[in-house]
Amino acid sequence: MAKPHRQPTPLTVLHAYIAGSILPGEEPLTGARLDHAAGFLLEAAQVRADGKAAVLVRSNSEVTASTRRVTQVAAVNRDMPFLVDSVSHALAAQGLTVDLLVHPIVPIQRNADGSLAALLDGDGTPKTRESLIYLETDRIDARQRRALEAELAVTLADVRAAVADWPAMKAALLADAGTLADDEGSALLRWLGHGMLTQLGHVVRRRDGKHRQALGLCRRAAGGLLSQDGWERAFAWFDSPKTRPAPLIVKANVISRVHRRVPLDLFIVPVIEDGEVIALSAHAGIWTSAALAAPPHEVPVLRQRLAAIMQRFDFVPGSHDDKALVHALSVLPHDLVIGFTTSDVLRVATAMMALVDRPRPRATLVTAPLGRHVFAFVWLPRDLMSTATRLQIQALLEQETGTTTLDWSLTVEGGSLAVLRYVLDARGMAKAVDSAAVDARLQDLLRGWTDAVEAALAASEEPSRAAALALRHAPTFPTSYRAAYGPQEAARDIGRVRLLGTDDRLLALGRDVRLYRLDGDVPDLLRLKIYQHGGAMPLSDAVPALENFGFRVLSEVPTTLAGSDPETVGDSAPWGTIHDFQLALAPGSTASDMLDRAATIEQAINAVLNARAENDVFNKLVVSTGLDAREAEWLRAFYRYLRQGSISFTIYTVVDALAGAPAVTRALVTLLRQRHDPAFTGDRAAATEASAEAIRAGLAKVTAINDDRVLRLYWQTMLAVLRTNMFAPAGALALAFKFDSSLVPGLPKPVPWREIFVYSRRVEGIHLRAGPVARGGLRWSDRRDDFR
């Protein structure tokens, strides 16, 4: 008895279609992975309303054959052009990478409600063929999945509208071509309408803002091709008494979702009645690959520009210059250049002509007809091209023009020249574009960096010395530094870097510091650069120290100079790291005040970072009370002496008291100078009495009882000093104070006759004397806190 014939299931049929859609060279889908893909597509295709797409996005919890979890994406739609590339670009726009893509075209029979009835055999008819797109990408969360579903729905709706209205849009474009008096403009529209433009939208906009004939993408947002200001500028373009060419060719800020993710090209034709422009007919699309690659002499309008330039320069046909011009116009993007004036085309083309045979950095900027965009062309040797360089150039353009980037593209010539093209949104631009200034900054950034640094150094060094310093140091700065800081700042940094490892002040740990600020910084923001010789500095060496000076560290950006490994460079080679800190100041302080005392503050920070001074909160007095590092050291030494005398106040209470009464603190320091500085001239008694009066007046304004006690304790202790070496050369190594102990308040009994306190960063000690004749001296003590 014969076995009954088994009908293949929809899943089995779909397996065959998926297998047949795998491109040559791609890994075939088999086993569980094929089951996953087919089952997911079949689930997405279960219901699809007529005229709409079905989209399904889900993160798969099961591990695929690639041993990782993925997000599955399915898009089911009536088969039509542009589906696969539009969907792929939609994922890319969300920052996702397509790991797997299959695209079977399956004839499907559906019920009246859109539900799946059957998968048909054969090729089917145009009405039954449906596009089933299956993709796998990185695993994403629920919020990202919802965003992706929404984006795919809009993208597929745009594709459907563009494809459905393409015959009507083509007819409208050719009809507008017949209304133009300019033969070249009319020829351009006909050329585009016969396969050179992927037409995506069309709308007629009246002066009152009303729309008609909204086709393709314009169904969804009829006036969205341009902003209100953009439409007004377009009307003004044709209203100008100066003859303006038609069509008006501009870029839209709207990014195409169909076929390629690029800004839409707009071709605007005036609708004229009784000699007046009553409306604008706008055609939106993107140039086809064939149109972009067409020789310039075959492109209407562009061939006119070429002829005008040839006539102006009288190039001999077939000559080197003639070929160079044709080559430049062939390589430059037709979709941009065709909207330029002849003078702008000439400027861009001749710039490129000069670079083909001798590649070097160059930038030229062109403002679009309506002033809504700026097009930047940047040439550079292809060996300099990298993602980091592109981003640095983009940042330079945005900074110099006050614009934002809408789109960019890169072309690398067969020789050694790379061409970067940027489309910049100029709607927020406050001033006209200065192409020469941008080009100068580009030279500083790339090829002309060493020369620019040399010129900056020449302002403070003799020419031969500036050239030697630039040749030695300028190449060590990375590209990111060059774009962010420029040659002037590099010259200042070289002034410090060149001393690293050679200056006696910096020999301890090879560090130097510099305070500065940039134009546009807020008043309470200060910047500090720390120069580290040999490798990088641990942040734990810097951040606590800066906080003890009263700064709040906001951020740090390190710049490693070339050859920063001391094992691989000679002793004469520049190497090190520049650590750039952003510092917030205490309330009431401003960056300008700090910079007025920059040398004093830098000297104090330098001493701490090079382990020549204590790293504690007494350094705060340098910033808050206007003392220098040595004066802060005196006050620290007095605190260390009083701590041995069992002072009840912590270091933080003491410093806060001194910082809270800066007038009293400065008067105390002045009193020390007046009493003990051998170089003091004048009446010591009168001067010390004036300082005492200033201290009394300042104390009268102190409201906190503990602050008053601390300040009076310092005052009385200073008056107890009989002699000191503060102003002698030995004082730079260690401070020594001889006290009349009976005059120091609060000392524990028995109170000695005299005390000599020695303080330095490395050692402290007290020599106690019970009478005029006594033996003794400093002895080693294991008790740091109570050795007295």
Side-chain angles (χ1 to χ4, degrees):
M1 184 174 180
K3 293 182 180 180
H5 178 69
R6 298 181 62 183
Q7 293 292 331
T9 65
L11 194 61
T12 305
V13 173
L14 195 52
H15 277 185
Y17 280 109
I18 291 176
S21 69
I22 301 295
L23 295 175
E26 293 284 341
E27 180 182 355
L29 285 182
T30 58
R33 200 173 186 193
L34 177 59
D35 290 338
H36 280 306
F40 192 73
L41 272 177
L42 194 59
E43 179 183 353
Q46 286 301 310
V47 178
R48 185 183 69 80
D50 187 33
K52 294 185 178 180
V55 177
L56 182 61
V57 179
R58 179 185 300 153
S59 289
N60 186 6
S61 60
E62 299 183 35
V63 179
T64 66
S66 60
T67 69
R68 69 186 185 93
R69 292 179 172 86
V70 300
T71 295
Q72 296 174 290
V73 180
V76 180
N77 200 50
R78 182 172 63 82
D79 186 36
M80 61 184 66
F82 310 132
L83 288 173
V84 174
D85 43 9
S86 300
V87 169
S88 299
H89 287 131
L91 266 70
Q94 300 289 320
L96 301 174
T97 302
V98 177
D99 297 321
L100 172 67
L101 188 154
V102 293
H103 180 219
I105 307 298
V106 182
I108 292 178
Q109 180 180 342
R110 293 191 178 274
N111 299 316
D113 61 356
S115 61
L116 179 66
L119 302 184
L120 305 176
D121 292 330
D123 294 333
T125 66
K127 290 185 178 181
T128 62
R129 284 197 294 268
E130 295 193 15
S131 162
L132 276 62
I133 301 175
Y134 174 79
L135 304 100
E136 289 181 3
T137 185
D138 300 327
R139 188 175 175 86
I140 56 178
D141 59 27
R143 180 182 58 81
Q144 293 172 300
R145 290 198 299 272
R146 289 193 297 270
L148 180 58
E149 284 182 350
E151 179 63 24
L152 287 173
V154 175
T155 297
L156 293 172
D158 282 355
V159 172
R160 180 178 291 274
V163 172
D165 290 347
W166 176 76
M169 290 188 291
K170 179 179 180 180
L173 182 65
L174 296 178
D176 280 345
T179 66
L180 296 181
D182 179 26
D183 291 340
E184 277 298 290
S186 177
L188 174 64
L189 294 185
R190 290 192 177 93
W191 184 78
L192 293 170
H194 288 95
M196 294 301 177
L197 181 72
T198 302
Q199 293 179 250
L200 300 178
H202 172 250
V203 69
V204 176
R205 164 97 175 200
R206 300 183 61 86
R207 284 186 181 272
D208 59 7
K210 294 181 179 179
H211 305 88
R212 59 184 176 86
Q213 296 183 24
L215 301 172
L217 308 183
C218 298
R219 290 188 196 176
R220 182 162 46 86
L225 297 179
L226 289 173
S227 63
Q228 178 64 29
D229 176 67
W231 286 113
E232 291 175 358
R233 293 190 185 196
F235 275 108
W237 171 272
F238 291 111
D239 291 338
S240 172
K242 180 181 177 180
T243 302
R244 296 290 177 83
L248 169 62
I249 306 171
V250 295
K251 287 281 185 182
N253 287 337
V254 179
I255 302 297
S256 166
R257 287 183 168 90
V258 181
H259 191 36
R260 299 201 307 271
R261 290 257 168 171
V262 293
L264 289 171
D265 292 284
L266 302 184
F267 301 87
I268 302 176
V269 176
V271 179
I272 301 174
E273 288 186 6
D274 299 328
E276 293 188 2
V277 178
I278 64 167
L280 298 176
S281 178
H283 302 269
I286 53 179
W287 288 57
T288 65
S289 299
L292 292 173
H297 63 269
E298 295 181 4
V299 182
V301 177
L302 190 58
R303 64 192 179 194
Q304 192 178 53
R305 305 273 196 274
L306 174 62
I309 296 173
M310 296 287 287
Q311 183 177 6
R312 175 172 178 174
F313 287 102
D314 195 23
F315 290 149
V316 177
S319 66
H320 175 78
D321 291 338
D322 174 71
K323 293 179 180 178
L325 175 60
V326 173
H327 173 75
L329 290 179
S330 300
V331 172
L332 291 171
H334 297 350
D335 59 326
L336 294 186
V337 177
I338 200 166
F340 294 175
T341 63
T342 301
S343 59
D344 284 336
V345 174
L346 174 64
R347 187 158 55 90
V348 175
T350 53
M352 186 167 181
M353 288 172 60
L355 300 170
V356 171
D357 296 326
R358 190 164 66 92
R360 58 195 185 278
R362 181 78 183 273
T364 298
L365 278 65
V366 176
T367 302
L370 299 183
R372 299 168 61 254
H373 297 102
V374 171
F375 304 112
F377 297 88
V378 178
W379 297 270
L380 65 161
R382 69 177 184 179
D383 289 343
L384 293 180
M385 190 62 230
S386 67
T387 299
T389 300
R390 175 182 65 79
L391 293 174
Q392 292 300 325
I393 293 173
Q394 179 176 319
L396 183 153
L397 292 171
E398 293 179 345
Q399 179 182 356
E400 287 293 311
T401 61
T403 60
T404 56
T405 300
L406 287 173
D407 187 40
W408 69 274
S409 65
L410 168 68
T411 303
V412 179
E413 285 288 279
S416 56
L417 184 67
V419 185
L420 278 167
R421 181 207 74 182
Y422 296 89
V423 180
L424 306 172
D425 186 352
R427 288 177 294 177
M429 192 169 61
K431 59 182 180 180
V433 170
D434 188 343
S435 185
V438 173
D439 185 59
R441 282 292 309 276
L442 182 72
Q443 305 306 316
D444 295 343
L445 178 66
L446 300 173
R447 182 185 62 85
W449 172 252
T450 301
D451 293 339
V453 172
E454 179 183 342
L457 285 167
S460 57
E461 303 281 350
E462 62 181 32
S464 60
R465 182 64 175 161
L469 288 172
L471 186 63
R472 180 186 180 193
H473 291 281
T476 68
F477 291 92
T479 303
S480 57
Y481 175 99
R482 302 178 191 188
Y485 296 97
Q488 296 292 336
E489 184 66 13
R492 300 183 188 99
D493 286 339
I494 288 172
R496 301 300 182 99
V497 170
R498 59 188 282 203
L499 299 177
L500 292 179
T502 61
D503 193 318
D504 290 340
R505 297 179 303 110
L506 311 177
L507 286 179
L509 294 176
R511 295 168 181 169
D512 196 7
V513 302
R514 180 169 69 86
L515 291 169
Y516 77 108
R517 69 191 305 263
L518 298 176
D519 294 338
D521 284 348
V522 295
D524 63 345
L525 179 68
L526 186 66
R527 298 175 186 266
L528 171 77
K529 287 187 177 181
I530 299 178
Y531 306 90
Q532 173 68 59
H533 180 251
M537 174 190 63
L539 289 182
S540 58
D541 285 4
V543 174
L546 295 175
E547 290 177 342
N548 279 334
F549 277 91
F551 301 122
R552 186 159 59 92
V553 179
L554 301 179
S555 65
E556 181 265 349
V557 177
T559 298
T560 302
L561 303 184
S564 60
D565 183 0
E567 299 295 330
T568 60
V569 295
D571 294 337
S572 63
W575 45 273
T577 304
I578 301 175
H579 298 269
D580 191 357
F581 291 85
Q582 285 193 27
L583 309 175
L585 304 179
S589 299
T590 64
S592 59
D593 294 337
M594 298 297 104
L595 292 177
D596 289 341
R597 302 182 57 245
T600 299
I601 298 173
E602 289 171 2
Q603 181 185 19
I605 298 175
N606 196 328
V608 172
L609 293 180
N610 283 286
R612 291 185 289 103
E614 292 273 17
N615 180 17
D616 61 26
V617 290
F618 269 95
N619 294 322
K620 178 181 177 182
L621 301 177
V622 176
V623 174
S624 62
T625 63
L627 304 184
D628 60 30
R630 186 172 65 154
E631 292 166 342
E633 185 86 339
W634 298 344
L635 297 179
R636 179 185 292 110
F638 276 98
Y639 169 74
R640 293 295 181 86
Y641 167 71
L642 292 171
R643 189 179 67 171
Q644 296 299 324
S646 301
I647 185 175
S648 60
F649 300 110
T650 67
I651 187 173
Y652 303 101
T653 301
V654 170
V655 171
D656 287 345
L658 293 168
V664 176
T665 301
R666 287 192 292 268
L668 290 171
V669 171
T670 301
L671 181 65
L672 279 174
R673 291 184 179 277
Q674 293 166 343
R675 285 171 54 86
H676 301 288
D677 188 354
F680 179 82
T681 58
D683 188 339
R684 285 185 188 272
T688 55
E689 180 56 33
S691 293
E693 187 59 35
I695 293 171
R696 294 188 191 96
L699 288 172
K701 299 178 182 179
V702 175
T703 57
I705 185 65
N706 279 347
D707 290 0
D708 182 84
R709 288 174 178 171
V710 168
L711 295 170
R712 290 183 185 276
L713 180 57
Y714 259 84
W715 186 15
Q716 296 303 316
T717 304
M718 289 179 179
L719 293 177
V721 176
L722 300 176
R723 291 199 302 275
T724 179
N725 71 341
M726 291 191 306
F727 302 99
L733 299 176
L735 293 172
F737 301 93
K738 184 174 184 180
F739 293 99
D740 181 343
S741 303
S742 64
L743 299 180
V744 179
L747 286 182
K749 296 181 186 296
V751 176
W753 180 66
R754 296 287 187 268
E755 296 177 62
I756 300 174
F757 177 67
V758 177
Y759 166 77
S760 75
R761 182 179 178 277
R762 294 182 298 168
V763 66
E764 296 178 27
I766 295 181
H767 176 201
L768 305 176
R769 304 188 66 180
V773 179
R775 298 175 62 191
L778 297 183
R779 294 178 175 86
W780 175 260
S781 173
D782 290 326
R783 302 185 302 181
R784 295 185 53 182
D785 296 326
D786 61 350
F787 56 75
R788 183 180 181 276

